[in-house]
Amino acid sequence: EAQVTQNPRYLITVTGKKLTVTCSQNMNHEYMSWYRQDPGLGLRQIYYSMNVEVTDKGDVPEGYKVSRKEKRNFPLILESPSPNQTSLYFCASRGGLYVTQYFGPGTRLTVL
Amino acid sequence: SQKIEQNSEALNIQEGKTATLTCNYTNYSPAYLQWYRQDPGRGPVFLLLIRENEKEKRKERLKVTFDTTLKQSLFHITASQPADSATYLCALEGDSGGYQKVTFGIGTKLQVIP
């Protein structure tokens, strides 16, 4: 089954404690993205990747890092999380431009 | 900066009627526009994509129009059903916004009343 998986699905952490949210897709897609979704602000793109070792900033990259060492994985790293990063995070992937983008189930992060 | 507006936060319609959702944008010349459905607590699910040189796209009970002069897309669900109740998002990409940079609207919550 074609899918995008994220782990963990729920996470409560404290300010400053580094964390990683994993994302993996089994569709051999080149393009992957991370989004955050907040009430009243909608989905906003954090980072995206066009292929292995090729990443670029989206609209809200501050406080986040990503890496793309393998085609299937695109982890999101918060080096020093802060409460304003409390949000619902989605990973997405697609095989190219003008095609369907598949979203993961989401990771609900709370930073205390 | 580029901006997307989706009509009203919530839209209530009677079962069987046609729901029409609006997506307007400014300061943007997208190459294409997409519509997604999102249920509470879940990831968006892709519905339709329409390119800038296409006027209309259909898929079963869904229809999307794209008017680059008005900078507007309309999303129609005909013969609406309670199962269509969800939040619908429009997203733009490409051209002036740059490819791979996807901008989403905040969505319109549709409630279909039996």
Side-chain angles (χ1 to χ4, degrees):
Chain A
E1 179 191 355
Q3 61 181 357
V4 178
T5 56
Q6 297 178 225
N7 282 292
R9 294 289 315 280
Y10 302 90
L11 179 61
I12 301 174
T13 189
V14 296
T15 299
K17 186 176 181 181
K18 181 180 178 179
L19 66 92
T20 299
V21 184
T22 64
C23 172
S24 183
Q25 49 94 4
N26 64 359
M27 296 167 278
N28 201 36
H29 284 169
E30 291 180 344
Y31 300 91
M32 298 185 75
S33 290
W34 274 104
Y35 297 87
R36 62 178 287 175
Q37 188 171 37
D38 302 286
L41 296 175
L43 274 165
R44 293 178 293 166
Q45 196 173 33
I46 304 171
Y47 269 95
Y48 59 91
S49 170
M50 289 161 282
N51 214 326
V52 174
E53 303 291 2
V54 181
T55 63
D56 206 348
K57 298 176 181 178
D59 290 325
V60 288
E62 296 78 19
Y64 304 94
K65 284 176 57 177
V66 292
S67 70
R68 188 92 182 273
K69 293 182 170 39
E70 304 167 284
K71 199 171 187 179
R72 63 183 293 124
N73 297 323
F74 190 42
L76 179 70
I77 303 155
L78 284 72
E79 294 269 3
S80 183
S82 62
N84 64 11
Q85 292 179 297
T86 293
S87 186
L88 180 57
Y89 291 86
F90 290 103
C91 179
S93 78
R94 60 182 180 180
L97 299 177
Y98 302 101
V99 298
T100 303
Q101 181 166 223
Y102 295 87
F103 280 79
T107 295
R108 188 166 292 280
L109 172 66
T110 301
V111 183
L112 302 174
Chain B
S1 62
Q2 57 213 35
K3 188 177 178 182
I4 300 177
E5 288 184 354
Q6 294 191 242
N7 69 320
S8 70
E9 291 190 2
L11 179 64
N12 296 323
I13 65 163
Q14 208 68 36
E15 182 177 4
K17 301 291 187 184
T18 296
T20 298
L21 285 65
T22 304
C23 177
N24 295 301
Y25 58 92
T26 56
N27 299 323
Y28 207 134
S29 296
Y32 61 101
L33 185 147
Q34 303 173 59
W35 283 89
Y36 291 80
R37 169 186 173 135
Q38 187 175 25
D39 292 287
R42 309 192 72 161
V45 174
F46 171 84
L47 296 174
L48 281 168
L49 179 153
I50 186 165
R51 301 186 186 210
E52 61 177 335
N53 59 352
E54 297 175 316
K55 295 293 185 187
E56 183 179 298
K57 266 282 186 68
R58 290 175 185 262
K59 179 182 175 184
E60 297 172 351
R61 295 184 296 113
L62 309 180
K63 185 178 85 171
V64 172
T65 62
F66 193 11
D67 189 326
T68 55
T69 301
L70 291 178
K71 294 187 181 294
Q72 181 182 79
S73 174
L74 298 178
F75 178 77
H76 305 273
I77 306 174
T78 58
S80 59
Q81 306 164 1
D84 295 325
S85 298
T87 296
Y88 292 86
L89 310 173
C90 71
L92 280 69
E93 181 177 352
D95 203 354
S96 64
Y99 285 91
Q100 292 306 314
K101 279 201 170 185
V102 183
T103 302
F104 278 83
I106 64 170
T108 297
K109 186 175 182 179
L110 174 67
Q111 185 76 31
V112 181
I113 303 163

